[in-house]
Amino acid sequence: MTVSTPTSAEKPVSVAASDGSAVTMALPAAVDTAGVTSAAGTTVYPDAAAHVDLAVQATVDGGARALVTLKNAAAPNTQRFDLGLPDGASLVADGDGGYDIVTSAGGAGLVPRGHIDAPWAKDANGDAVPTS
């Protein structure tokens, strides 16, 4: 898998497979903020939306994760990430709040192509916050 983080918060993150198919994820940005990439590889988009910073990290398993920092109580508490799936792919709930990305193999059923972990959040004290 190859993860491509955009130079701007208004462009999507892309995770491409060796067969050329890709899953894209649009960031919930309101403005065209340039990303700054750290030595560790995290790309941060400061003030990408009102009272919100965004960040994107490649994961060790070949995927990507988006991190949203709500900077104060005025920040919106809903964040949506539009997905672009390869042709013929669909999402199937995994029962734990995440989704499997699958394609049909005809009579052989569904073929797993990837996975989206369940969302999670923590407050300023490090306590879990309900997410969906």
Side-chain angles (χ1 to χ4, degrees):
M1 300 284 198
T2 302
V3 176
S4 299
T5 57
T7 57
S8 165
E10 286 193 331
K11 296 184 174 114
V13 176
S14 176
V15 178
S18 58
D19 66 3
S21 64
V23 173
T24 60
M25 175 179 64
L27 300 172
V31 297
D32 188 13
T33 300
V36 177
T37 303
S38 73
T42 300
T43 302
V44 178
Y45 307 93
D47 298 314
H51 312 286
V52 174
D53 290 340
L54 299 173
V56 175
Q57 296 174 326
T59 61
V60 295
D61 62 359
R65 90 172 41 103
L67 303 168
V68 179
T69 301
L70 307 180
K71 298 194 298 186
N72 56 45
N77 61 8
T78 298
Q79 305 294 321
R80 297 195 184 275
F81 298 84
D82 291 332
L83 298 176
L85 300 176
D87 288 341
S90 60
L91 297 176
V92 176
D94 70 1
D96 291 322
Y99 291 87
D100 293 319
I101 302 169
V102 298
T103 55
S104 175
L110 299 175
V111 176
R113 300 284 309 243
H115 183 75
I116 300 169
D117 290 337
W120 56 270
K122 294 191 177 196
D123 66 15
N125 297 317
D127 296 324
V129 175
T131 59
S132 61

PDB file of all heavy atoms in Angstrom, residues 75-95:
ATOM      1  N   ALA A  75     -15.563  24.714  18.531  1.00  0.00           N
ATOM      2  CA  ALA A  75     -15.310  23.816  17.398  1.00  0.00           C
ATOM      3  C   ALA A  75     -16.523  22.925  17.145  1.00  0.00           C
ATOM      4  O   ALA A  75     -17.202  22.503  18.085  1.00  0.00           O
ATOM      5  CB  ALA A  75     -14.089  22.957  17.691  1.00  0.00           C
ATOM      6  N   PRO A  76     -16.811  22.622  15.879  1.00  0.00           N
ATOM      7  CA  PRO A  76     -17.933  21.726  15.581  1.00  0.00           C
ATOM      8  C   PRO A  76     -17.644  20.323  16.110  1.00  0.00           C
ATOM      9  O   PRO A  76     -16.515  19.847  16.020  1.00  0.00           O
ATOM     10  CB  PRO A  76     -18.011  21.739  14.050  1.00  0.00           C
ATOM     11  CG  PRO A  76     -16.653  22.156  13.600  1.00  0.00           C
ATOM     12  CD  PRO A  76     -16.104  23.042  14.673  1.00  0.00           C
ATOM     13  N   ASN A  77     -18.650  19.666  16.664  1.00  0.00           N
ATOM     14  CA  ASN A  77     -18.418  18.334  17.210  1.00  0.00           C
ATOM     15  C   ASN A  77     -18.764  17.218  16.232  1.00  0.00           C
ATOM     16  O   ASN A  77     -18.724  16.050  16.584  1.00  0.00           O
ATOM     17  CB  ASN A  77     -19.140  18.137  18.545  1.00  0.00           C
ATOM     18  CG  ASN A  77     -20.635  18.270  18.414  1.00  0.00           C
ATOM     19  OD1 ASN A  77     -21.172  18.365  17.318  1.00  0.00           O
ATOM     20  ND2 ASN A  77     -21.318  18.287  19.536  1.00  0.00           N
ATOM     21  N   THR A  78     -19.091  17.578  14.997  1.00  0.00           N
ATOM     22  CA  THR A  78     -19.320  16.594  13.941  1.00  0.00           C
ATOM     23  C   THR A  78     -18.260  16.792  12.862  1.00  0.00           C
ATOM     24  O   THR A  78     -18.079  17.906  12.371  1.00  0.00           O
ATOM     25  CB  THR A  78     -20.727  16.750  13.320  1.00  0.00           C
ATOM     26  OG1 THR A  78     -21.702  16.512  14.339  1.00  0.00           O
ATOM     27  CG2 THR A  78     -20.931  15.784  12.180  1.00  0.00           C
ATOM     28  N   GLN A  79     -17.578  15.709  12.525  1.00  0.00           N
ATOM     29  CA  GLN A  79     -16.575  15.725  11.463  1.00  0.00           C
ATOM     30  C   GLN A  79     -16.930  14.609  10.491  1.00  0.00           C
ATOM     31  O   GLN A  79     -17.129  13.475  10.910  1.00  0.00           O
ATOM     32  CB  GLN A  79     -15.169  15.499  12.033  1.00  0.00           C
ATOM     33  CG  GLN A  79     -14.776  16.466  13.118  1.00  0.00           C
ATOM     34  CD  GLN A  79     -14.631  17.892  12.619  1.00  0.00           C
ATOM     35  OE1 GLN A  79     -14.129  18.125  11.536  1.00  0.00           O
ATOM     36  NE2 GLN A  79     -15.083  18.847  13.421  1.00  0.00           N
ATOM     37  N   ARG A  80     -17.010  14.912   9.222  1.00  0.00           N
ATOM     38  CA  ARG A  80     -17.356  13.905   8.202  1.00  0.00           C
ATOM     39  C   ARG A  80     -16.211  13.771   7.208  1.00  0.00           C
ATOM     40  O   ARG A  80     -15.644  14.766   6.777  1.00  0.00           O
ATOM     41  CB  ARG A  80     -18.626  14.286   7.485  1.00  0.00           C
ATOM     42  CG  ARG A  80     -19.827  14.331   8.412  1.00  0.00           C
ATOM     43  CD  ARG A  80     -21.129  14.359   7.627  1.00  0.00           C
ATOM     44  NE  ARG A  80     -22.238  14.488   8.523  1.00  0.00           N
ATOM     45  CZ  ARG A  80     -22.833  13.476   9.155  1.00  0.00           C
ATOM     46  NH1 ARG A  80     -22.399  12.268   8.974  1.00  0.00           N
ATOM     47  NH2 ARG A  80     -23.842  13.678   9.958  1.00  0.00           N
ATOM     48  N   PHE A  81     -15.909  12.531   6.857  1.00  0.00           N
ATOM     49  CA  PHE A  81     -14.844  12.216   5.913  1.00  0.00           C
ATOM     50  C   PHE A  81     -15.469  11.478   4.732  1.00  0.00           C
ATOM     51  O   PHE A  81     -15.864  10.321   4.862  1.00  0.00           O
ATOM     52  CB  PHE A  81     -13.790  11.328   6.572  1.00  0.00           C
ATOM     53  CG  PHE A  81     -13.102  11.976   7.728  1.00  0.00           C
ATOM     54  CD1 PHE A  81     -13.661  11.956   8.994  1.00  0.00           C
ATOM     55  CD2 PHE A  81     -11.889  12.608   7.554  1.00  0.00           C
ATOM     56  CE1 PHE A  81     -13.030  12.553  10.072  1.00  0.00           C
ATOM     57  CE2 PHE A  81     -11.242  13.221   8.623  1.00  0.00           C
ATOM     58  CZ  PHE A  81     -11.814  13.189   9.870  1.00  0.00           C
ATOM     59  N   ASP A  82     -15.588  12.149   3.587  1.00  0.00           N
ATOM     60  CA  ASP A  82     -16.142  11.497   2.403  1.00  0.00           C
ATOM     61  C   ASP A  82     -15.117  10.519   1.852  1.00  0.00           C
ATOM     62  O   ASP A  82     -13.927  10.833   1.741  1.00  0.00           O
ATOM     63  CB  ASP A  82     -16.507  12.530   1.337  1.00  0.00           C
ATOM     64  CG  ASP A  82     -17.697  13.396   1.744  1.00  0.00           C
ATOM     65  OD1 ASP A  82     -18.541  12.917   2.530  1.00  0.00           O
ATOM     66  OD2 ASP A  82     -17.777  14.545   1.279  1.00  0.00           O
ATOM     67  N   LEU A  83     -15.589   9.311   1.496  1.00  0.00           N
ATOM     68  CA  LEU A  83     -14.714   8.276   0.982  1.00  0.00           C
ATOM     69  C   LEU A  83     -14.916   8.077  -0.511  1.00  0.00           C
ATOM     70  O   LEU A  83     -16.034   8.181  -1.013  1.00  0.00           O
ATOM     71  CB  LEU A  83     -14.998   6.940   1.683  1.00  0.00           C
ATOM     72  CG  LEU A  83     -14.768   6.894   3.176  1.00  0.00           C
ATOM     73  CD1 LEU A  83     -15.183   5.531   3.721  1.00  0.00           C
ATOM     74  CD2 LEU A  83     -13.316   7.174   3.501  1.00  0.00           C
ATOM     75  N   GLY A  84     -13.845   7.755  -1.192  1.00  0.00           N
ATOM     76  CA  GLY A  84     -13.898   7.323  -2.583  1.00  0.00           C
ATOM     77  C   GLY A  84     -13.406   5.891  -2.620  1.00  0.00           C
ATOM     78  O   GLY A  84     -12.302   5.599  -2.152  1.00  0.00           O
ATOM     79  N   LEU A  85     -14.235   4.980  -3.109  1.00  0.00           N
ATOM     80  CA  LEU A  85     -13.890   3.558  -3.151  1.00  0.00           C
ATOM     81  C   LEU A  85     -13.575   3.126  -4.579  1.00  0.00           C
ATOM     82  O   LEU A  85     -14.087   3.711  -5.538  1.00  0.00           O
ATOM     83  CB  LEU A  85     -15.049   2.712  -2.614  1.00  0.00           C
ATOM     84  CG  LEU A  85     -15.485   2.983  -1.171  1.00  0.00           C
ATOM     85  CD1 LEU A  85     -16.702   2.139  -0.836  1.00  0.00           C
ATOM     86  CD2 LEU A  85     -14.348   2.709  -0.203  1.00  0.00           C
ATOM     87  N   PRO A  86     -12.761   2.082  -4.743  1.00  0.00           N
ATOM     88  CA  PRO A  86     -12.502   1.564  -6.087  1.00  0.00           C
ATOM     89  C   PRO A  86     -13.794   1.077  -6.748  1.00  0.00           C
ATOM     90  O   PRO A  86     -14.755   0.725  -6.053  1.00  0.00           O
ATOM     91  CB  PRO A  86     -11.552   0.386  -5.848  1.00  0.00           C
ATOM     92  CG  PRO A  86     -10.977   0.599  -4.485  1.00  0.00           C
ATOM     93  CD  PRO A  86     -12.030   1.354  -3.717  1.00  0.00           C
ATOM     94  N   ASP A  87     -13.807   1.027  -8.065  1.00  0.00           N
ATOM     95  CA  ASP A  87     -14.970   0.515  -8.790  1.00  0.00           C
ATOM     96  C   ASP A  87     -15.329  -0.878  -8.283  1.00  0.00           C
ATOM     97  O   ASP A  87     -14.454  -1.731  -8.102  1.00  0.00           O
ATOM     98  CB  ASP A  87     -14.690   0.444 -10.296  1.00  0.00           C
ATOM     99  CG  ASP A  87     -14.646   1.816 -10.942  1.00  0.00           C
ATOM    100  OD1 ASP A  87     -15.171   2.778 -10.342  1.00  0.00           O
ATOM    101  OD2 ASP A  87     -14.093   1.922 -12.052  1.00  0.00           O
ATOM    102  N   GLY A  88     -16.609  -1.091  -8.020  1.00  0.00           N
ATOM    103  CA  GLY A  88     -17.098  -2.387  -7.570  1.00  0.00           C
ATOM    104  C   GLY A  88     -16.940  -2.646  -6.087  1.00  0.00           C
ATOM    105  O   GLY A  88     -17.339  -3.696  -5.603  1.00  0.00           O
ATOM    106  N   ALA A  89     -16.339  -1.727  -5.348  1.00  0.00           N
ATOM    107  CA  ALA A  89     -16.143  -1.924  -3.904  1.00  0.00           C
ATOM    108  C   ALA A  89     -17.307  -1.328  -3.129  1.00  0.00           C
ATOM    109  O   ALA A  89     -17.971  -0.394  -3.583  1.00  0.00           O
ATOM    110  CB  ALA A  89     -14.832  -1.281  -3.449  1.00  0.00           C
ATOM    111  N   SER A  90     -17.543  -1.877  -1.957  1.00  0.00           N
ATOM    112  CA  SER A  90     -18.579  -1.351  -1.073  1.00  0.00           C
ATOM    113  C   SER A  90     -18.133  -1.539   0.368  1.00  0.00           C
ATOM    114  O   SER A  90     -17.132  -2.198   0.646  1.00  0.00           O
ATOM    115  CB  SER A  90     -19.920  -2.053  -1.318  1.00  0.00           C
ATOM    116  OG  SER A  90     -19.799  -3.446  -1.083  1.00  0.00           O
ATOM    117  N   LEU A  91     -18.888  -0.939   1.280  1.00  0.00           N
ATOM    118  CA  LEU A  91     -18.593  -1.033   2.710  1.00  0.00           C
ATOM    119  C   LEU A  91     -19.571  -1.989   3.378  1.00  0.00           C
ATOM    120  O   LEU A  91     -20.772  -1.967   3.091  1.00  0.00           O
ATOM    121  CB  LEU A  91     -18.715   0.343   3.374  1.00  0.00           C
ATOM    122  CG  LEU A  91     -17.752   1.417   2.902  1.00  0.00           C
ATOM    123  CD1 LEU A  91     -18.068   2.744   3.593  1.00  0.00           C
ATOM    124  CD2 LEU A  91     -16.311   1.012   3.162  1.00  0.00           C
ATOM    125  N   VAL A  92     -19.050  -2.803   4.294  1.00  0.00           N
ATOM    126  CA  VAL A  92     -19.870  -3.713   5.082  1.00  0.00           C
ATOM    127  C   VAL A  92     -19.508  -3.483   6.544  1.00  0.00           C
ATOM    128  O   VAL A  92     -18.323  -3.574   6.908  1.00  0.00           O
ATOM    129  CB  VAL A  92     -19.610  -5.188   4.689  1.00  0.00           C
ATOM    130  CG1 VAL A  92     -20.395  -6.126   5.587  1.00  0.00           C
ATOM    131  CG2 VAL A  92     -19.945  -5.430   3.229  1.00  0.00           C
ATOM    132  N   ALA A  93     -20.517  -3.181   7.367  1.00  0.00           N
ATOM    133  CA  ALA A  93     -20.273  -2.953   8.792  1.00  0.00           C
ATOM    134  C   ALA A  93     -19.650  -4.194   9.417  1.00  0.00           C
ATOM    135  O   ALA A  93     -20.066  -5.321   9.127  1.00  0.00           O
ATOM    136  CB  ALA A  93     -21.574  -2.594   9.496  1.00  0.00           C
ATOM    137  N   ASP A  94     -18.640  -3.997  10.276  1.00  0.00           N
ATOM    138  CA  ASP A  94     -17.963  -5.130  10.905  1.00  0.00           C
ATOM    139  C   ASP A  94     -18.553  -5.511  12.263  1.00  0.00           C
ATOM    140  O   ASP A  94     -18.095  -6.453  12.898  1.00  0.00           O
ATOM    141  CB  ASP A  94     -16.458  -4.871  11.026  1.00  0.00           C
ATOM    142  CG  ASP A  94     -16.103  -3.795  12.052  1.00  0.00           C
ATOM    143  OD1 ASP A  94     -17.013  -3.231  12.715  1.00  0.00           O
ATOM    144  OD2 ASP A  94     -14.899  -3.511  12.188  1.00  0.00           O
ATOM    145  N   GLY A  95     -19.556  -4.783  12.731  1.00  0.00           N
ATOM    146  CA  GLY A  95     -20.185  -5.085  14.009  1.00  0.00           C
ATOM    147  C   GLY A  95     -19.504  -4.441  15.206  1.00  0.00           C
ATOM    148  O   GLY A  95     -20.009  -4.512  16.315  1.00  0.00           O
TER     149      GLY A  95
END
